Amino acid sequence: MSNFSIGIMADSLRLGFADSMKKARELGADGVQIYATSGEMAPENLTPSLISEKRSIIQGNGLVVSALCGDLGGHGFCDAVENPWKIEKSKRIVDLALELGSKVVTTHIGVVPDEKNDTYKIMQEACNELAEYADSVGASFAVETGPEKAEMLKEFLDSLSARGVKVNLDPANLVMVTGDDPVKAVYTLKDYIVHTHAKDGIKLKESNRFHVYGFFADGGIEDFRIWEYFSEVPLGEGKVDFPRYLAALKDIGYNGFLTIEREVGDDPAKDIGMAVNFLKGLI
């Protein structure tokens, strides 16, 4: 019997905060992941009393926070000019996560270059600082998989001076963007995985990964142009082999969250409910 927990990306429900917590409970989730980069859940917009209020709503629905999402866009941490404020805000998001009972903040760091060039060094320096801070408070920055293959990401993480930068494994991103095998990625990244997304997808045609990732970073997932290259589909309808993928996670001893992320579709609550049932049928 596995120890997986099922989570829901609260923002995927497209409801207000309290309503999204209630709906997550109704759909059978154990926890929620919450965006904390802007709006009411951004650290700069929260007072101690508001944090307490949010925490009470989450706990009142029998949920825990699986992770906060701290993706600040703009090509991650590739820009030395932008990095100081991004690093500082990322640290505050970690502080908020801990106050809400989670030790994980997921993010995109940008596309790891094929060569150890200036951009590689800029990203390395930023991630070293993030890793050291996360280590100091007992938390993790979890890099979401996708824009590069798992082996390249592992090599980058291995190069860091501290261990606080981990992995949020998104199997659909690997399938859709790089054509990587999620099962193989589990074993490649096994020492780093602290959170996962339950998402499925299909790669439609080849593309330059820098180009595609730029749409994620600048235009956001709503930018229709990215769907020329890949398509997110409901769980079980894409190229992620979930039985083998979950077996691999179990094999490496992962017992954390499978957090459902549904970024498209006219009825996300329906799709997420189906995804919950799909996962429960496997685990």
Side-chain angles (χ1 to χ4, degrees), residues 1-281:
M1 183 176 180
S2 74
N3 294 315
F4 297 137
S5 298
I6 295 177
I8 291 174
M9 179 70 81
D11 297 75
S12 292
L13 293 166
R14 304 176 201 167
L15 300 169
F17 183 86
D19 287 340
S20 67
M21 298 303 118
K22 180 180 178 182
K23 178 58 71 173
R25 180 198 67 200
E26 291 173 353
L27 293 173
D30 303 301
V32 288
Q33 183 178 5
I34 304 167
Y35 270 86
T37 55
S38 61
E40 65 177 316
M41 288 303 296
E44 64 270 20
N45 295 329
L46 288 167
T47 62
S49 62
L50 285 173
I51 292 172
S52 179
E53 178 184 308
K54 301 295 186 185
R55 189 167 53 233
S56 294
I57 293 171
I58 295 165
Q59 295 174 349
N61 283 285
L63 302 168
V64 299
V65 177
S66 70
L68 293 186
C69 180
D71 180 14
L72 297 173
H75 300 282
F77 295 95
C78 298
D79 186 339
V81 175
E82 294 286 305
N83 281 352
W85 76 261
K86 286 188 173 184
I87 291 169
E88 183 61 28
K89 180 158 183 174
S90 294
K91 291 177 180 179
R92 301 293 74 80
I93 294 173
V94 166
D95 295 342
L96 175 61
L98 291 171
E99 290 194 75
L100 293 172
S102 176
K103 296 181 179 181
V104 179
V105 171
T106 69
T107 190
H108 285 281
I109 61 170
V111 182
V112 177
D114 296 322
E115 299 179 356
K116 294 179 175 61
N117 54 20
D118 289 343
T119 298
Y120 191 98
K121 293 175 182 176
I122 289 168
M123 294 174 66
Q124 195 176 45
E125 181 177 343
C127 288
N128 276 333
E129 185 172 346
L130 292 172
E132 289 169 5
Y133 184 77
D135 277 347
S136 74
V137 296
S140 299
F141 284 98
V143 179
E144 186 163 338
T145 55
E148 62 282 310
K149 290 183 179 291
E151 290 182 359
M152 185 181 296
L153 178 58
K154 180 183 183 299
E155 181 181 348
F156 177 80
L157 297 176
D158 286 345
S159 77
L160 301 181
S161 61
R163 303 288 286 179
V165 173
K166 303 289 189 179
V167 166
N168 172 46
L169 204 159
D170 188 315
N173 285 356
L174 291 170
V175 164
M176 293 189 298
V177 182
T178 67
D180 210 357
D181 176 8
V183 174
K184 181 181 176 183
V186 168
Y187 292 105
T188 299
L189 297 167
K190 61 184 176 63
D191 294 332
Y192 292 101
I193 300 169
V194 293
H195 192 265
T196 75
H197 279 165
K199 193 168 74 180
D200 207 349
I202 300 168
K203 187 173 185 179
L204 300 178
K205 65 181 181 180
E206 293 299 322
S207 60
N208 182 298
R209 66 192 176 94
F210 288 84
H211 179 63
V212 169
Y213 189 78
F215 291 141
F216 273 107
D218 291 337
I221 202 67
E222 298 300 326
D223 192 317
F224 72 92
R225 290 171 292 179
I226 63 174
W227 305 116
E228 295 176 5
Y229 300 100
F230 49 78
S231 176
E232 182 196 323
V233 297
L235 297 196
E237 296 182 16
K239 295 297 184 180
V240 178
D241 188 336
F242 275 95
R244 290 181 59 240
Y245 171 66
L246 297 182
L249 287 172
K250 184 177 180 180
D251 189 40
I252 67 165
Y254 177 77
N255 59 2
F257 271 89
L258 309 170
T259 297
I260 299 161
E261 183 180 27
R262 183 65 172 148
E263 297 175 307
V264 299
D266 296 328
D267 192 347
K270 179 182 177 182
D271 292 343
I272 290 168
M274 291 172 61
V276 170
N277 292 333
F278 176 81
L279 290 175
K280 286 185 174 180

